[in-house]
Amino acid sequence: MSGLRVLAFGAWDRGEGYPRGSALLEGLRSCGAQVTECHIDSPYSGSDKRRLLRSPWLWPGYWWAMRRVKRLALRRLAAAIREEVPDVVLVPYPGHLAVHWIRKVWDGPIVLDMFLSAYDTAVVDRQMFRPGSMMAHLMVRLDRRAVRAADAVLFDTVQNAAHIALLTGLPGEKCHVVPVSDPNEPVTPPIYRAPQRGEILEVLFFGTGVPLHGLGYLLAALEVCEGVRLTLVGGTQADRRHAQSMPPHKVRLADEFLPASELRDYIARTHLVAGVFGTSEKAGRVVPLKVMMALAAGRPVLTGRTPAIRRLLDDGVECVTVPVGDCGALGRELQRLAGAPHELCELAAAGRLAYQREFALRCVGQRLRRICVDLAGVADLAAPATAAGAVTGSKTHMEPVG
């Protein structure tokens, strides 16, 4: 037997800025699983999907386009299954529609990655629709039908799993936690050098500026700090206008979007990476990509004190946290860290070890491999002998979420 065989199917996001699907697939491969990809190009992606949701007159055209996509997808899926029957079909995010199509040609186990819910994205994050509106109800229905079509559903944190289970009525035994990871994780992080006393503390923020980021709190905190300078990559237009109004020795504006290679250069040059500080309920449920990338690069992290962060990272050892939405506490902590180079070095080293324990590709692959093996009821002879022991020390619960 050749070990676990996984067929990835759907129109999942690929390329720069979309590491989730790539991380799951590369993680599985790193653990000896045989992964075949059946990727379908969707007529709408990224900003096109947001424009579509706001434009009901485009929906008939979308419906007809997706009928064609579905026919093509099912032909390709059936051909892939005939070529080599998988043990499990994995639907990377976003797979709300693809997960339903699979049952036309496959009656085996299906794993869906519910990295983001449609309701949270459209109603909570983007605020495109009001809670309680007809469209909000439709988003919940989309989430509910997707998770119910799968045999196992993946989430990035225990908090997200519990939230979506409550939102959709998904049984806890179908929920599994597989954290985010970096498909391009550095084998050896760049050397970290903390600012010496009297030097400016260079802080990096990158992200779109959605409410959970709480970028406004960070900018307000910087206004009362001395010896601290923020480099801002991204943010909303309002955030960038706010940053432009501040003195240049406090904020330096970078581009709204940077290729991954350039972003990694910024991370390597910074002293401290800022996480999220928003007060939204969702902010408490996520470990943002920026935090994971900073830890992978061996850079200290300052972020909001949320349940998801505190569950995975030791506050004060592997990262530093402050109360969310508290500009005063955030400003005081930035000022304190500007004069604590030794602590920054210790945070950088401990954070890198935390990444290797919680978020590294091998950890993600081992967790997902075990879920697939248990679901399919197969003996995974290709699994590395150390896999079970490697995840034992993780602070993420591996059991189904009840």
Side-chain angles (χ1 to χ4, degrees), residues 19 77 110 125 133 137 152 156 190 242 248 258 292 308 319 341 353 398:
L77 176 62
I110 299 172
D125 287 346
S133 66
H137 286 297
D156 59 331
H242 183 179
L258 290 176
M292 178 271 297
C319 69
L353 292 176
M398 294 308 303

Side-chain angles (χ1 to χ4, degrees), residues 2-5 26-35 365 369 380-384:
S2 60
L4 179 69
R5 298 185 299 270
E26 292 308 311
L28 280 172
R29 291 185 176 111
S30 74
C31 295
Q34 179 182 330
V35 180
R369 182 193 60 80
D380 187 7
L381 302 182

Side-chain angles (χ1 to χ4, degrees), residues 349-385:
R352 169 65 181 181
L353 292 176
Y355 175 84
Q356 293 174 313
R357 181 192 71 229
E358 297 291 342
F359 309 106
L361 281 176
R362 63 177 176 81
C363 294
V364 166
Q366 288 160 8
R367 292 164 181 167
L368 181 51
R369 182 193 60 80
R370 194 174 94 179
I371 292 165
C372 292
V373 167
D374 291 346
L375 188 65
V378 299
D380 187 7
L381 302 182

Side-chain angles (χ1 to χ4, degrees), residues 81-256:
I81 292 173
R82 285 195 302 270
E83 184 172 339
E84 183 162 12
V85 178
D87 298 307
V88 174
V89 173
L90 170 66
V91 185
Y93 174 84
H96 285 71
L97 297 179
V99 69
H100 295 286
W101 302 344
I102 297 170
R103 287 298 178 211
K104 301 286 186 182
V105 297
W106 168 254
D107 59 2
I110 299 172
V111 177
L112 169 68
D113 180 32
M114 191 69 167
F115 181 51
L116 297 172
S117 88
Y119 177 86
D120 278 349
T121 301
V123 179
V124 179
D125 287 346
R126 300 292 178 181
Q127 299 179 350
M128 298 168 66
F129 311 114
R130 296 189 309 275
S133 66
M134 182 186 71
M135 286 302 298
H137 286 297
L138 286 175
M139 295 297 105
V140 172
R141 185 169 183 267
L142 185 62
D143 287 334
R144 184 180 296 121
R145 294 185 69 247
V147 299
R148 289 182 177 178
D151 298 291
V153 185
L154 309 180
F155 302 91
D156 59 331
T157 67
V158 171
Q159 290 76 17
N160 250 347
H163 169 73
I164 300 301
L166 182 63
L167 181 71
T168 62
L170 181 69
E173 61 268 19
K174 290 178 66 173
C175 303
H176 300 269
V177 176
V178 178
V180 293
S181 186
D182 184 356
N184 299 304
E185 61 186 20
V187 176
T188 302
I191 295 173
Y192 179 71
R193 293 184 175 86
Q196 299 305 303
R197 293 191 181 276
E199 292 183 349
I200 291 176
L201 174 69
E202 298 288 355
V203 180
L204 174 66
F205 176 95
F206 57 94
T208 59
V210 293
L212 72 87
H213 287 168
L215 178 54
Y217 296 113
L218 178 60
L219 293 173
L222 284 165
E223 292 181 349
V224 298
C225 289
E226 295 300 330
V228 180
R229 178 169 58 190
L230 174 71
T231 297
L232 173 58
V233 178
T236 66
Q237 291 302 312
D239 292 328
R240 295 178 71 84
R241 286 193 297 270
H242 183 179
Q244 283 180 318
S245 70
M246 297 173 64
H249 69 275
K250 289 184 178 290
V251 180
R252 178 172 52 190
L253 273 179
D255 292 341
E256 293 185 55

